[in-house]
Amino acid sequence: MNIKSHFSLIAIAICLPIILWGVCGIGPTFDDYTSLQSTWFIQISDPGYMFPDAYRRPFDFLLGCLVGWMPGLFPTLNHVLIILGHACSAALVFTICKKLDFSPVATHIATLFFFFSPATLGATLACDGFNQTFAQLWGLLALWFYLSRVHPRPSGAKTKPWLWLLCVAMAALSKENGLAWAVVPPIVAYAFQLVNRRQALRHIGCGLLVAMAYLIVFATIYLTGIAGIEYDDEYTHATLLSHAKDFIQLMAYTWLPADYMSIVYPPTRNIAVAAATVLLAVPFLLLLASKWQLLKTRQLLLLAVSFLILVSPHLVTVVSIMHNYAALSMAALIVAFITHHIAGKKLLTAAFALFLAAAVFTDIHHYTAARRSGVMSRRMAMLAISKADHPLQRIFCISIDNPDEPRYSNFCVRPVDAFAWGLSVRHYSHYTWKTAISEAKLTHYDSHQVKAIADSALLAGDEAVWVAGDDKEPLIIINRP
C-alpha cells in the first residue's frame, strides 16, 4: 500500500484502536437505556415480541435482542459496531472521492473531515447511535454501487444495477432518514456528468419507487393497527422560527468544529476555549468561502442540493446534535470538491491542520464529558444497590427534572438523566434486579412535596423511594420506616 496515497485511511486505522478503547469506556445514560438497541429481555417465541418500532428499525431490534440474551455485551457491543460503522463510512468517503477524480489532497481532507468532525459525536458517543451510523453507511454504499455502475472500474466490470436500490432499502430500515438516499446517487452522478439528464431522471424515478414502496408498507402497518404509532408534541407543534433555528444549528454543528459545550452548557462554559476552537477553524473555512464562485458550477450546486435532501427529514422534526451526522458525508464531498479547486496546497494543508486540531480537541472534550456522565450513572446506581440488602421488587422514583434547566446532549447529561428514571440500577445490578419502577416528575425539589409523594408510595407497597436530580444530593434514598 502506498502510504502517501492512503494517508488518511492509515491515520484513521492508527487512531481506531485508541478510539475503540476510549469509547467502550462510556457507560449508558438517558435514552441509551430505553432505545431499541438496549437490552430487551424478550423471546421470538413470545406472541408480542414484534413491538411497534421493530417493524421500522429491524436492525435495532435484532441488536436489542442480542444484548438482551447476553447482557454482558451492553453497551460495549453497541459502541464497537457504531465506531466500526463510522470507520467504514469514512473509507467509503475516501473511495467515492477517488471515483469522482478528486485530487489526493482533497480526498484526504474530505476523509479526515468526515471521520473526526464533532458533528459525529451525537451518533458515535451514545449507545443509541447505531441506527444513525448504519443509515449513513448503507446510504454511502448505495452511492458507491451506483457510481460503480455508471463509472466502471478500469477492468470494465460493473456492479449489478439493483444493488444501489437494495442499499437504499437497507438505509431506510436502519433509520427512516435513510430513505433520502433514494434520490441522491443519480443527482451526484449527474453533477459530475457520469449520467445524462434522462438517465438521472429515470434512476431517480426508480429510487422514488423504492421510497414509495417503503412508505406504503409503513402506512399499512400503522393504519391497519398491526402496530401503534406515537406522536411527540415537540415535533408536531414546532414553529417556522424553531425550524429556522434548527437549520442554523445544524449548519453550525456541521461546518464549524467549535467547542459548543463551552458555549451553550453552563456547567462547562468557557468562552475563551470556545473562541480558541473557532479561531483555529477560521482559516480553513475562509479558504472554502473564497471559492464561492464554484456555486455557479453544476457540481457544487447539486452537491449542495444533495446535502439539503439528506438533512431534510430532520428539519421537519426537531434537530439535535445527533442529527448532524445524517448529511455529514455529503458535506465531506462538498469539502473535497472545493479543496480540489484550491491551488495553494501548502496553505490549504496548514489551514486544515488547524481545523483538524480544533475538531480533535472538541472530540476529546466531549468524550470526557460523556465518560463522566456514564460514571455518574454507575455511581448513583451502585449507591441505590448498596443501600438495599436484597433486590427490590417495587420502587418509586421521583425525578427532579426542570424543563428550563439547560442540557447539552444525550451523552453529556445531568445526574437526573444519568440515573435514567432508575433504569441504571437494573443495568449495574447485572439485571438481577427485575424492579418495577413507577415515576413522578417535579420541576424543583420541594421537601414537603417529596415527603408527601414518598409517604403515599411507601403506603401503597413500594419498598423504597429514589429521589434523583436534587442540586445538593444527586440521589436521595427513602426506605420504609
Side-chain angles (χ1 to χ4, degrees), residues 435-451:
T435 312
I437 302 174
S438 303
E439 187 196 14
K441 288 185 180 181
L442 301 177
T443 57
H444 63 280
Y445 184 83
D446 183 305
S447 58
H448 297 293
Q449 197 171 9
V450 166
K451 185 178 185 304

Side-chain angles (χ1 to χ4, degrees), residues 239-262:
T239 64
L240 185 61
L241 179 60
S242 67
H243 286 309
K245 290 179 179 178
D246 284 345
F247 179 74
I248 293 170
Q249 173 187 317
L250 189 145
M251 295 297 287
Y253 283 156
T254 300
W255 296 102
L256 183 62
D259 184 16
Y260 290 100
M261 273 179 50
S262 295

Side-chain angles (χ1 to χ4, degrees), residues 65-89:
C65 287
L66 180 59
V67 295
W69 293 328
M70 293 177 281
L73 295 176
F74 181 77
T76 303
L77 179 61
N78 300 58
H79 287 312
V80 169
L81 290 175
I82 288 168
I83 296 299
L84 291 181
H86 179 54
C88 289
S89 292

Side-chain angles (χ1 to χ4, degrees), residues 53-300:
D53 283 348
Y55 289 98
R56 60 190 182 100
R57 298 181 185 176
F59 302 117
D60 283 12
F61 170 72
L62 292 174
L63 178 58
C65 287
L66 180 59
V67 295
W69 293 328
M70 293 177 281
L73 295 176
F74 181 77
T76 303
L77 179 61
N78 300 58
H79 287 312
V80 169
L81 290 175
I82 288 168
I83 296 299
L84 291 181
H86 179 54
C88 289
S89 292
L92 281 169
V93 168
F94 178 90
T95 306
I96 290 167
C97 286
K98 302 286 277 187
K99 276 192 174 296
L100 296 177
D101 295 324
F102 293 138
S103 68
V105 171
T107 298
H108 293 319
I109 286 176
T111 305
L112 295 174
F113 173 91
F114 173 80
F115 188 78
F116 289 104
S117 170
T120 68
L121 297 179
T124 57
L125 293 185
C127 303
D128 67 343
F130 174 78
N131 49 42
Q132 192 78 355
T133 305
F134 280 84
Q136 177 95 264
L137 177 59
W138 284 112
L140 283 169
L141 272 172
L143 178 56
W144 183 82
F145 277 127
Y146 186 87
L147 294 177
S148 298
R149 177 66 183 169
V150 300
H151 187 258
R153 295 184 291 274
S155 63
K158 294 184 177 182
T159 61
K160 300 294 183 182
W162 47 267
L163 282 175
W164 77 275
L165 293 172
L166 175 63
C167 289
V168 169
M170 297 294 278
L173 291 174
S174 296
K175 192 171 184 181
E176 302 75 51
N177 63 275
L179 205 60
W181 287 95
V183 298
V184 167
I187 293 175
V188 173
Y190 177 66
F192 290 88
Q193 298 181 315
L194 299 178
V195 294
N196 58 40
R197 182 179 298 179
R198 183 177 179 181
Q199 289 172 317
L201 290 174
R202 186 170 73 248
H203 295 157
I204 287 174
C206 293
L208 289 175
L209 285 175
V210 172
M212 190 178 299
Y214 172 89
L215 292 173
I216 289 172
V217 172
F218 185 91
T220 301
I221 288 172
Y222 287 98
L223 293 177
T224 57
I226 296 175
I229 187 167
E230 296 181 358
Y231 295 95
D232 192 324
D233 289 342
E234 189 180 12
Y235 292 173
T236 56
H237 294 160
T239 64
L240 185 61
L241 179 60
S242 67
H243 286 309
K245 290 179 179 178
D246 284 345
F247 179 74
I248 293 170
Q249 173 187 317
L250 189 145
M251 295 297 287
Y253 283 156
T254 300
W255 296 102
L256 183 62
D259 184 16
Y260 290 100
M261 273 179 50
S262 295
I263 300 173
V264 301
Y265 191 48
T268 57
R269 183 167 290 158
N270 189 324
I271 300 302
V273 170
T277 56
V278 171
L279 290 174
L280 286 172
V282 163
F284 180 67
L285 295 176
L286 286 177
L287 277 177
L288 296 182
S290 70
K291 292 295 180 180
W292 62 270
Q293 301 96 329
L294 291 173
L295 277 171
K296 299 176 183 179
T297 65
R298 179 166 72 175
Q299 293 96 323
L300 186 54

